[in-house]
Amino acid sequence: LPAFLEAPPAMRMGEQKKGDPSDESTIGDALVSFTPTVGAKHFVSVPQQTNYCAASYKTVPYSHPDSAPLYLLGHALSSAYLHREVREKGGAYGGGASAAPVEGVFAMSSYRDPNVLKTIETFKNAAEWAATTGNLTAEILEEAHLRAFKAVDSPLAPSSRGASLFTGGMDDASRQTFRDRLLDCTVEQMRVCAEKYLVNQTPAVACGG
């Protein structure tokens, strides 16, 4: 055990054990000098055979009226557009969109993706598709509601509820307000949010592979 503890893994800070003939880089090597910058594009080289990419947009906080439509928009884009374009046509293992209301971020991503440059263009097209009148429908909204409430109404441990209250100020009243806004959301509200927060906006883009 002492010998094991004195020989930490090479992953730590990108170090390699002395005398180790292996010259393969690790994820730690790739990330040790990585410094994220908002609104920029990044590629992180890692020892993988496939790629991963994400584009994130700054939106609004949890308490904002647009937060609920954006949350539903993430579910709608995932099932109605990105699954078809990124996975079925693009060949990625998976992809989708999601909104993080507490952080005020909307993101689109793919994983195990052989065509990341095409996928990044697809993210842009997805925003324009959602902002075009007639593409989002009542049926898509209904499916987004089902997905959203499956997550919102899932059991929450008391510790998680307390942490949300402490870090994000999410009390029962704010949760109910958000829930009511989800129920009241219309197709037009989702379309307007796509146009307002996603179209012609510059996301932070990161790829790894």
Side-chain angles (χ1 to χ4, degrees), residues 35-186:
T35 303
T37 303
V38 176
K41 298 178 181 179
H42 296 284
F43 178 82
V44 180
S45 178
V46 294
Q48 298 286 336
Q49 295 181 343
T50 55
N51 301 312
Y52 304 77
C53 71
S56 61
Y57 301 78
K58 184 66 177 175
T59 57
V60 292
Y62 184 81
S63 58
H64 195 282
D66 288 343
S67 182
L70 284 166
Y71 188 72
L72 289 170
L73 180 61
H75 290 286
L77 275 178
S78 293
S79 60
Y81 190 87
L82 291 174
H83 178 84
R84 178 181 70 248
E85 298 297 325
V86 174
R87 179 169 182 172
E88 295 178 4
K89 294 183 180 180
Y93 191 82
S98 62
V102 176
E103 292 79 10
V105 173
F106 188 96
M108 289 182 262
S109 61
S110 70
Y111 58 97
R112 296 185 181 180
D113 189 347
N115 298 300
V116 290
L117 295 180
K118 182 179 178 181
T119 296
I120 292 171
E121 185 67 22
T122 299
F123 293 159
K124 177 184 176 182
N125 295 340
E128 295 173 350
W129 177 87
T132 302
T133 301
N135 285 338
L136 293 172
T137 64
E139 183 180 357
I140 292 174
L141 174 59
E142 181 180 7
E143 184 176 347
H145 270 131
L146 293 175
R147 291 173 177 269
F149 281 106
K150 180 181 179 181
V152 171
D153 289 345
S154 61
L156 191 64
S159 58
S160 298
R161 186 177 294 272
S164 298
L165 177 61
F166 180 76
T167 59
M170 294 171 58
D171 56 14
D172 290 340
S174 64
R175 291 176 187 276
Q176 187 59 48
T177 297
F178 184 77
R179 196 176 188 280
D180 291 341
R181 287 171 176 166
L182 289 175
L183 286 170
D184 294 338
C185 182
T186 65

